Amino acid sequence: MLTTEEIAQIEHEISLVPQKKAACIEALKVVQQHRGWVSDEDLKDTASMLGMSPEELDSVATFYNLIFRQPVGRHVILLCDSISCWVMGYEQIRDHLMQKLQIKYGETTPDGRFTLLPNVCLGTCDRAPALMIDDHLYENVTIEELDGILHHHR
Amino acid sequence: MERPLTKHIHPDREPLSLQEYERVGGYQAVRKALLELTPEAVVTLVKDSNLRGRGGAGFNTGLKWSFVPMGPDVPRPKYLVANADEMEPGTFKDRMLLEGNPHQLIEGMILASYAIGADISYVFLRWAYKKAAHGIIKAIQEAYAAGYLGQNILGTEFSLEMHLHTGVGRYMCGEETALLNALEGKRAMPRAKPPFPQVSGLYGKPTIVNNVETLCCLPHIVNHGAEWFKGLSRTQDAGTKIYGVSGKVKRPGAWELPMGVTIRELVEEYAGGMLDGYKFKGALPGGASTDFLVEQHLDTPMDYTSIAAAGSRMGTGTMIILDDQTCPVGFVHNLQHFFAQESCGFCTPCREGLPWVEKVLLSIDRGEGRPEDMNILDFHTKYLGPGNTFCALAPGAMEPLQSALKYFREDFERHIHDHQCPWK
Ligand SMILES: Cc1cc2nc3c(=O)[nH]c(=O)nc-3n(C[C@H](O)[C@H](O)[C@H](O)COP(=O)(O)O)c2cc1C
Ligand code: SF4
Ligand code: FES
């Protein structure tokens, strides 16, 4: 069930747009902000607030890369796999992360700390390779720095 | 050298507050336009300045605005949207303007809104730009408090609301009609044109979508005039341009320079030349969806007209360098992986064709390619080209592929013949 806080935030988003449905991406963001991801049950509850069917809302939720329909860890690592980062050797960073965390793309560490995902160009191609952990952007990343970077996110 | 757009951007400092921005002449253009110029006069001024859209297509901005219905009886509200989605791989120019001077963007948006009679405006910002979001929220609040946004701006009849919308990640959100669907809470799929957004856009109302850099030019054009703006350029395409270089160069980065500096100047002078031990092999001049240019094109001016004449597109003006120690097949495979992933799936050639292209490139890269694979790639460049798909994503994807097949064909064939990647 959605909390009263979530419901209030979603209702606020609905009040800002001319049609209820137009708030659906914002509503999904509200849920994800509180819970880290959007479960089937949350999706159903959110859809009913928006006057949409769950299927209709899911078609929007699954279209976008950053609405998570599966549980994620406490921190989400988004590793840029686009062209400039590829030229500058992001694959080494990827391999190191996968080995160190013992997970593949889309997986979460057993302690629930990290989820690793590939991401398209982060718009900082002059400082490649780049990655984001939650809201933090890391640029010119080297393998030597990775352990220190991960350490910041408990 | 004049650098109007980046003069007040200092990467190591917080962006200018409203007061600081006003102290260096900020919001003077809004005063001038709202108090002295009619909307038609602003449209004419921008048309005359020959400002071409910096989002990639390079369409004359004033001309684009002139299709918006004007007068008392037109559908309302009208909308202006700043396209700050910037997801074209290899592109990092709008980030600089968004993080560096949000008030400049807001001032540009007010001017554009005034010119087309917009009532409501949005900044459509990509999710990843956290720092920019923070600065824009603050700047919008300051602009409301100072009376540059809201009801009856500067005591005139003109009123404007402004909101920030952050996307949830999909390259298609940058395509202007798909962006409007995303703003309406739908999947970011493109719409059929006509009707063009100028006539029927957001919620079916007249709408203009402009790129961030385009909008940031406007205060300067209004302040200094069309002739001044043209004079900033070295060539027939007006203004300055934010150029960027990434890849194996000594000093990758982005710089505001006169329109029409050459590729050679960008690579050798501004980016400091190639890293020691690396040679220039080619470049995508304006992001992932532009055709390769090679050594023979190094002295081409980076403007819309000259780059088109050389067989590519200026695109976003941020260049990605291919060096001699990077495999062109792997390079193009990386690009096609992106495009296949980001295809919205609406039309069959793009949805089915791009993954096929990606797979063929992967097998060639692994040394498992067959001679007939070259034909498969060739025909895709034709069947996914302009006119065969619903939007420009697939034709854009084919630009680096078709030009790689032209300039680096031997490298592809060597992979197939030798059953291995010569770079591995
Ligand atoms: C697949 C695709 C992605 C696009 N992404 C962007 C983008 O991120 N930013 C942008 O300004 N324009 C983007 N465009 C171009 C827009 O559709 C539109 O032409 C542009 O925002 C118009 O602004 P301008 O006239 O100021 O250049 C994209 C186009 C396509 C086909
Ligand atoms: S070309 Fe690709 S991205 Fe564009 S509408 Fe067709 S499937 Fe969607
Ligand atoms: S390609 Fe990685 S940040 Fe642009």
Side-chain angles (χ1 to χ4, degrees):
Chain A
M1 261 202 345
L2 298 176
T3 62
T4 36
E5 196 189 347
E6 286 166 326
I7 291 172
Q9 286 180 0
I10 293 172
E11 273 169 356
H12 173 70
E13 294 300 339
I14 292 174
S15 75
L16 298 176
V17 287
Q19 308 158 0
K20 267 191 181 181
K21 277 186 195 177
C24 79
I25 293 173
E26 294 304 318
L28 290 166
K29 277 199 243 171
V30 167
V31 174
Q32 183 159 303
Q33 204 176 13
H34 287 275
R35 297 164 190 248
W37 66 294
V38 182
S39 69
D40 287 349
E41 195 198 330
D42 301 335
L43 185 93
K44 224 186 263 169
D45 294 345
T46 311
S48 77
M49 282 188 74
L50 296 160
M52 298 168 84
S53 71
E55 292 74 19
E56 196 183 358
L57 184 59
D58 205 17
S59 79
V60 176
T62 53
F63 185 85
Y64 292 100
N65 299 332
L66 294 164
I67 297 294
F68 303 136
R69 288 285 282 114
Q70 283 176 40
V72 291
R74 288 196 299 286
H75 307 290
V76 177
I77 306 174
L78 297 173
L79 177 65
C80 174
D81 68 351
S82 290
I83 189 63
S84 308
C85 289
W86 180 80
V87 170
M88 300 309 285
Y90 95 87
E91 285 170 322
Q92 287 171 336
I93 307 286
R94 176 196 64 195
D95 294 348
H96 186 88
L97 278 172
M98 286 183 175
Q99 199 198 9
K100 164 125 185 122
L101 301 173
Q102 285 295 306
I103 49 174
K104 295 198 278 291
Y105 280 149
E107 293 179 351
T108 302
T109 52
D111 60 0
R113 188 167 155 208
F114 289 116
T115 299
L116 178 65
L117 294 172
N119 200 83
V120 302
C121 174
L122 289 166
T124 186
C125 328
D126 53 339
R127 292 169 209 168
L131 60 86
M132 279 181 89
I133 303 184
D134 306 332
D135 288 357
H136 299 267
L137 175 67
Y138 297 95
E139 302 169 306
N140 292 320
V141 178
T142 61
I143 288 180
E144 294 71 45
E145 286 167 355
L146 271 181
D147 292 357
I149 291 174
L150 294 179
H151 198 74
H152 285 298
H153 304 272
R154 303 308 307 175
Chain B
M1 195 191 308
E2 281 190 89
R3 295 196 165 102
L5 272 64
T6 55
K7 194 168 163 196
H8 300 294
I9 293 179
H10 306 283
D12 42 345
R13 284 218 317 257
E14 283 290 294
L16 301 183
S17 68
L18 184 126
Q19 272 103 29
E20 290 165 332
Y21 183 63
E22 283 181 323
R23 226 173 288 143
V24 296
Y27 291 106
Q28 279 307 322
V30 165
R31 280 180 197 283
K32 183 170 171 184
L34 268 58
L35 302 176
E36 296 170 27
L37 302 173
T38 61
E40 296 72 36
V42 178
V43 174
T44 307
L45 174 66
V46 172
K47 216 190 273 176
D48 290 347
S49 78
N50 199 13
L51 171 63
R52 297 180 64 169
R54 306 298 197 229
F59 197 75
N60 181 298
T61 304
L63 191 61
K64 176 165 161 174
W65 292 352
S66 68
F67 300 121
V68 175
M70 298 296 285
D73 306 322
V74 301
R76 285 192 176 270
K78 291 193 259 181
Y79 295 96
L80 175 93
V81 183
N83 190 344
D85 194 53
E86 191 157 76
M87 277 176 75
E88 176 83 12
T91 302
F92 48 99
K93 68 180 183 73
D94 294 338
R95 182 197 274 271
M96 182 172 168
L97 297 168
L98 291 160
E99 290 182 354
N101 196 353
H103 277 295
Q104 176 172 252
L105 172 66
I106 292 173
E107 185 170 18
M109 289 174 70
I110 299 171
L111 293 167
S113 300
Y114 179 67
I116 63 164
D119 309 276
I120 303 177
S121 58
Y122 288 94
V123 180
F124 191 102
L125 182 72
R126 73 173 293 197
W127 165 91
Y129 286 5
K130 301 288 177 188
K131 189 174 162 201
H134 182 77
I136 292 165
I137 290 169
K138 178 164 170 268
I140 291 178
Q141 280 169 356
E142 288 177 333
Y144 267 107
Y148 294 121
L149 289 172
Q151 293 296 308
N152 300 103
I153 299 169
L154 302 177
T156 65
E157 294 285 283
F158 178 63
S159 302
L160 180 68
E161 302 298 328
M162 190 176 288
H163 309 284
L164 172 68
H165 177 96
T166 43
V168 270
R170 198 71 197 247
Y171 176 53
M172 277 305 294
C173 291
E175 197 279 336
E176 62 183 11
T177 60
L179 182 154
L180 298 177
N181 279 336
L183 260 183
E184 290 182 11
K186 299 175 181 154
R187 285 180 280 166
M189 303 230 180
R191 297 175 178 178
K193 295 192 247 186
F196 287 90
Q198 289 97 317
V199 179
S200 176
L202 192 60
Y203 303 111
K205 300 289 198 273
T207 305
I208 284 286
V209 180
N210 272 138
N211 172 258
V212 168
E213 188 184 351
T214 311
L215 292 162
C216 288
C217 292
L218 299 173
H220 309 288
I221 295 172
V222 170
N223 280 329
H224 304 294
E227 289 311 310
W228 170 86
F229 189 71
K230 286 188 202 159
L232 294 172
S233 158
R234 284 200 206 159
T235 59
Q236 69 271 50
D237 293 334
T240 59
K241 178 79 193 76
I242 316 272
Y243 294 110
V245 178
S246 69
K248 298 245 166 73
V249 291
K250 290 206 177 96
R251 288 192 306 271
W255 314 273
E256 183 183 12
L257 297 168
M259 182 72 79
V261 300
T262 64
I263 299 173
R264 188 188 298 282
E265 282 171 279
L266 282 170
V267 176
E268 292 179 3
E269 221 171 289
Y270 294 96
M274 298 300 291
L275 283 175
D276 292 333
Y278 293 88
K279 269 173 46 196
F280 177 94
K281 186 174 168 95
L284 306 179
S289 54
T290 58
D291 280 279
F292 277 101
L293 294 178
V294 293
E295 214 172 343
Q296 77 202 58
H297 302 114
L298 277 172
D299 293 309
T300 312
M302 279 282 281
D303 66 41
Y304 299 92
T305 317
S306 314
I307 294 292
S312 184
R313 270 188 325 119
M314 173 89 141
T316 61
T318 42
M319 173 185 306
I320 310 151
I321 309 275
L322 169 68
D323 59 84
D324 64 334
Q325 289 172 48
T326 297
C327 170
V329 177
F331 190 105
V332 177
H333 171 257
N334 177 278
L335 298 173
Q336 299 307 324
H337 168 72
F338 166 82
F339 289 115
Q341 173 185 304
E342 294 300 316
S343 161
C344 81
F346 180 84
C347 53
T348 315
C350 173
R351 182 185 62 237
E352 304 297 325
L354 288 175
W356 191 4
V357 167
E358 182 192 348
K359 277 188 200 139
V360 168
L361 287 165
L362 183 65
S363 63
I364 297 178
D365 193 35
R366 286 185 172 156
E368 296 158 7
R370 304 156 308 167
E372 2 6 323
D373 287 343
M374 295 303 283
N375 301 335
I376 297 178
L377 294 178
D378 284 333
F379 84 65
H380 274 91
T381 62
K382 200 158 116 225
Y383 291 119
L384 297 191
N388 294 319
T389 59
F390 194 58
C391 88
L393 182 138
M398 290 303 102
E399 290 181 23
L401 177 63
Q402 71 193 10
S403 47
L405 290 169
K406 176 169 156 197
Y407 295 118
F408 313 127
R409 199 168 189 95
E410 279 174 15
D411 295 326
F412 283 75
E413 286 167 349
R414 233 166 89 210
H415 279 78
I416 294 172
H417 183 262
D418 298 352
H419 301 290
Q420 64 172 3
C421 171
W423 278 269
K424 282 195 187 114

